[in-house]
Amino acid sequence: ILLAGTIMELVNILFDSVDEQGMAFWQVFKVDISTLIGALTMVVITVVLTSVIPSWRIINGDFNAAMRDGTRGARGLTPGRFNRGLVVVSITIITLLLFLVATAGTYVFMARDTFLSLNTDGLMVTQPLLDADRYDVDQAHDFYRSLHDNLLQNPAVDSVYIASFLGNTGIVSEGTSMTPGVELAQVITYSSAGNLGDAGVSLLEGRMLDVFENPDGTPTIVVSRSLAQQFWPGESALGQRVRVNSNLTQDSNPWREVVGVVSDSVTPAELVSTNNNAAYLPLTQTGIRVANVQVRARDTSQPEIFSALISRAVLDLAPELRSVRVVDVQQQRDSLSSALVLGVNISGAAAAFAFLVAIAGIFGLTQNFILASTQEIGTRRALGASDNLIRRTFLRRGGKQAVIGLVISLIVILPMAWVGIATVGMELVSVTFVPILGALTFLYGAILLAIYHPLRKILHLEPSEALRYE
């Protein structure tokens, strides 16, 4: 409990060092009454399972049966099976824990790399929460149009990008076949100053969407290169028609004409999928009312002044909002990255501690099993068994337990690994296997050492000494 309290205090210091305002004043890690109750409960459960229940069973059991089960020449069947079962369960649990922690850590670092690859210099984001009773869809679009124009007139503003992320959505291509192709894509509704440069993409073919596309005109769409290659390999995507399967775009979900193809870019979808497909819809041809306003400053040295500029621009058009929250994307990205790494380090330390505890438990169980088999080993040697045969027999027993535990854990791990490969990509699992293999090597090495070390001492005894061992 004292160690837990010390670690929690260190966690408080670490979080404060990352971001003083990242946690509320009441969010403090400490040992409280629930911690004490939990610790005492675990102590009581441990004593009951390891002492009270076995003692009660021995006192109230069949003494003659117990004597027949456990003799001087060998371990009892029930204790032996229970011991081996504990070792198998421990190996299974620790293998699953290793996989989960290593996978989560790898994913977090991949997510951090994705965040760090984004261009966030001088980028501020705000999301005006327009009242639905005051602003219908057309009025909301007019608001964004006016805000877009007003911000661009300020010399301190480099660019304005208004976007709404719809997430991974099905895209259907129009074709002559009975089953048109369907692909998932990161759908983004946007309006920017004539290009998608702030979205991190460049035009490859056709044209970009207009700043505010005509809402009554032909429904249009811009697709990424990967999506175009999925639907129309070896031919131009311009003039093709697709439909976005989302009720947030238009009530009728019209067929949209592809007017441009852009390069693939980093999107939030890469955090959960290897799919680089993306589609860009004009904001004014959708039913979207809420969007992020991303504004990039020419001068990045005074973020507070630039944040106030954005707030004033929003409040001039919508004074009923009273206040506007403007987020410095670079600061948010760095804080999030630090928090992710801190979380992985804390989780990794906890997992390492649990791993060492499990190793100690497995080592003790295995070593105790060998020591309890001293008379059995003496009997085998007295009957003529060679030392090498005895070593192979007990090492094979320990290896069998390890293999059974590994197979049981693989039954759970393999489907999870397949899902990880199908969604995030092979990199997630391939990187994860390195620490897992190292930890498992250490685990199985501990098992072999727990067998070999006491076995070596026993084999140095005379068979008569081993037979008299208590």
Side-chain angles (χ1 to χ4, degrees), residues 38-266:
L40 292 175
T41 302
M42 290 301 299
V43 169
V44 172
I45 292 175
T46 302
V47 171
V48 170
L49 291 178
T50 60
S51 299
V52 176
I53 293 178
S55 300
W56 182 84
R57 292 182 62 184
I58 291 174
I59 293 172
N60 295 278
D62 186 347
F63 181 76
N64 292 325
M67 291 295 292
R68 287 194 299 270
D69 182 47
T71 66
R72 287 179 55 85
R75 290 173 54 86
L77 292 176
T78 301
R81 290 169 182 165
F82 184 72
N83 187 293
R84 290 191 295 272
L86 283 179
V87 173
V88 170
V89 170
S90 299
I91 293 173
T92 302
I93 293 175
I94 197 63
T95 304
L96 290 173
L97 177 65
L98 287 172
F99 175 79
L100 293 175
V101 172
T103 303
T106 303
Y107 175 77
V108 167
F109 280 107
M110 290 173 61
R112 186 194 65 164
D113 293 340
T114 299
F115 288 136
L116 295 178
S117 66
L118 300 174
N119 179 19
T120 58
D121 293 338
L123 188 62
M124 299 280 183
V125 174
T126 184
Q127 187 182 79
L129 300 178
L130 302 178
D131 188 355
D133 296 332
R134 186 185 295 264
Y135 296 87
D136 59 19
V137 173
D138 292 334
Q139 290 172 324
H141 292 170
D142 291 338
F143 167 83
Y144 287 120
R145 182 184 290 106
S146 299
L147 179 61
H148 177 274
D149 296 339
N150 291 350
L151 287 171
L152 281 180
Q153 290 175 4
N154 194 305
V157 175
D158 180 64
S159 61
V160 180
Y161 178 75
I162 301 175
S164 180
F165 297 89
L166 303 185
N168 274 3
T169 305
I171 303 289
V172 181
S173 66
E174 184 183 43
T176 57
S177 62
M178 295 297 294
T179 307
V182 179
E183 292 291 339
L184 284 178
Q186 178 73 7
V187 178
I188 306 166
T189 65
Y190 93 105
S191 176
S192 69
N195 61 71
L196 280 168
D198 279 345
V201 299
S202 57
L203 183 65
L204 301 179
E205 187 180 9
R207 69 172 179 88
M208 293 289 192
L209 298 176
D210 290 338
V211 179
F212 287 97
E213 200 92 357
N214 183 1
D216 299 322
T218 302
T220 56
I221 191 172
V222 168
V223 299
S224 66
R225 173 171 49 193
S226 62
L227 184 60
Q229 291 174 348
Q230 290 275 350
F231 280 139
W232 311 285
E235 58 180 301
S236 175
L238 298 183
Q240 305 284 357
R241 299 211 304 170
V242 297
R243 172 181 286 164
V244 179
N245 292 339
S246 174
N247 57 6
L248 295 177
T249 55
Q250 285 274 0
D251 293 338
S252 59
N253 269 352
W255 289 102
R256 296 179 176 273
E257 181 181 345
V258 177
V259 296
V261 178
V262 296
S263 60
D264 296 331
S265 66
V266 177

Side-chain angles (χ1 to χ4, degrees), residues 48 150 156 168 248 250 256 292 317 323 351 363 381 421 423:
V48 170
N150 291 350
N168 274 3
L248 295 177
Q250 285 274 0
R256 296 179 176 273
N292 292 320
L317 295 173
S323 64
F363 187 91
R381 295 184 69 198
I421 294 174
T423 55

